[in-house]
Amino acid sequence: MAAKTTWTDADPVGFIEAVSPQKRRLDAVVLLELMRRVTGAEPRMFGTAIVGFGEYHYKYASGTEGDAPAAGFSPRKAASVVYLNDGISAHENLLARLGPHTNGVGCLYLKDLDAVDLEILEEIVRRSYATLTSGTYGNRAAEG
């Protein structure tokens, strides 16, 4: 069963300019530049609220496969979400030094980028991107 890729033609910069509250918009500008630098890719919108960089192909044992951003973030009202589709557990040692955050299985929630170590965040994104773009990725974030 193949999942449908949901890249859109929406403008990521225009999307970020419309983000509120202002703090989330300012953090999104920082994340945009950080991910551009780390990935070497230009941003594209994935769905209606994810700014994605690069692409990776996944294929799970269940037969589900598709394409998704290899790095990405979403500026939400409560926090900026950084997607780590290789799984949070792959980055435990760096997360311990990142600063204030919460996380899910494949999501890192940051309420204030000024409070985290951006060099550590950059290394996390770099490692995740390298893992996801090294070939077809076969694990779900929970299996990372």
Side-chain angles (χ1 to χ4, degrees):
M1 176 180 183
K4 185 177 185 304
T5 302
T6 57
W7 291 105
T8 72
D9 292 328
D11 176 27
V13 174
F15 167 73
I16 289 170
E17 289 172 349
V19 166
S20 68
Q22 180 181 6
K23 173 63 179 152
R24 207 62 60 227
R25 182 172 52 256
L26 295 173
D27 284 355
V29 170
V30 172
L31 288 171
L32 179 80
E33 292 309 315
L34 182 148
M35 291 194 182
R36 249 189 193 140
R37 185 173 56 255
V38 168
T39 67
E42 285 301 309
R44 294 169 49 204
M45 291 302 296
F46 190 78
T48 60
I50 297 173
V51 180
F53 298 79
E55 187 173 272
Y56 77 101
H57 187 75
Y58 60 87
K59 184 172 184 179
Y60 302 141
S62 66
T64 299
E65 67 180 291
D67 299 296
F73 70 92
S74 182
R76 298 196 183 156
K77 285 192 187 227
S80 295
V81 181
V82 174
Y83 296 97
L84 301 172
N85 292 333
D86 60 332
I88 290 292
S89 63
H91 308 283
E92 285 179 11
N93 60 334
L94 290 170
L95 289 171
R97 302 187 334 235
L98 178 63
H101 69 278
T102 56
N103 56 264
V105 174
C107 298
L108 179 61
Y109 301 97
L110 304 168
K111 289 187 177 186
D112 184 1
L113 282 187
D114 294 332
V116 301
D117 186 325
L118 290 178
E119 288 182 12
I120 298 289
L121 180 59
E122 192 168 313
E123 184 61 22
I124 291 168
V125 172
R126 180 178 289 109
R127 289 182 184 186
S128 179
Y129 187 81
T131 297
L132 293 169
T133 58
S134 64
T136 297
Y137 194 70
N139 293 336
R140 294 181 185 272
E143 303 164 341

